């Protein structure tokens, strides 16, 4: 399955915007990499591979294509997921 977005702090973000949302920056991150989220999770002591161990208020949880409606959009850039 393909990751198409992330749930974080009661909002939905596209892969290009999630790192900026987690870091609290105002601008879009532009280049996205799962490795960026892996590094942030390690810094915060979060096991990303076990999403049952953390809440989406603490760290982003992945959203797969089978989990969204056609009209879902990123909170930051407004792009469709």
């Amino acid at each position: 399955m393909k990751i198409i977005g992330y749930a974080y702090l009661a909002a939905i973000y596209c892969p290009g915007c999630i790192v900026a949302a987690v870091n609290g920056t105002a601008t879009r991150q532009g280049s996205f990499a799962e490795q960026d989220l892996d590094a942030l999770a390690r810094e915060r002591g979060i096991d990303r591979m076990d999403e049952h161990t953390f809440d989406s208020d603490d760290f982003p949880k992945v959203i797969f294509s089978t989990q969204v409606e056609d009209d879902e959009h990123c909170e930051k850039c407004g792009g469709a997921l």
Side-chain angles (χ1 to χ4, degrees):
M1 281 190 270
K2 180 182 177 187
I3 297 172
I4 62 163
Y6 296 86
Y8 182 56
L9 295 173
I12 295 174
Y13 296 92
C14 70
C17 291
I18 190 59
V19 174
V22 173
N23 282 332
T25 58
T27 59
R28 186 173 179 193
Q29 206 47 24
S31 66
F32 166 79
E34 277 285 306
Q35 296 87 348
D36 294 335
L37 288 177
D38 288 342
L40 288 169
R42 274 191 305 277
E43 289 172 11
R44 297 172 185 199
I46 293 172
D47 180 2
R48 286 191 70 215
M49 297 301 114
D50 187 359
E51 288 193 345
H52 297 292
T53 63
F54 64 94
D55 188 90
S56 63
D57 282 345
D58 300 319
F59 203 78
K61 293 191 176 198
V62 297
I63 299 172
F64 297 103
S65 58
T66 58
Q67 298 173 298
V68 297
E69 301 293 324
D70 290 338
D71 62 346
E72 297 282 355
H73 291 83
C74 175
E75 286 285 320
K76 198 162 199 59
C77 71
L81 298 182

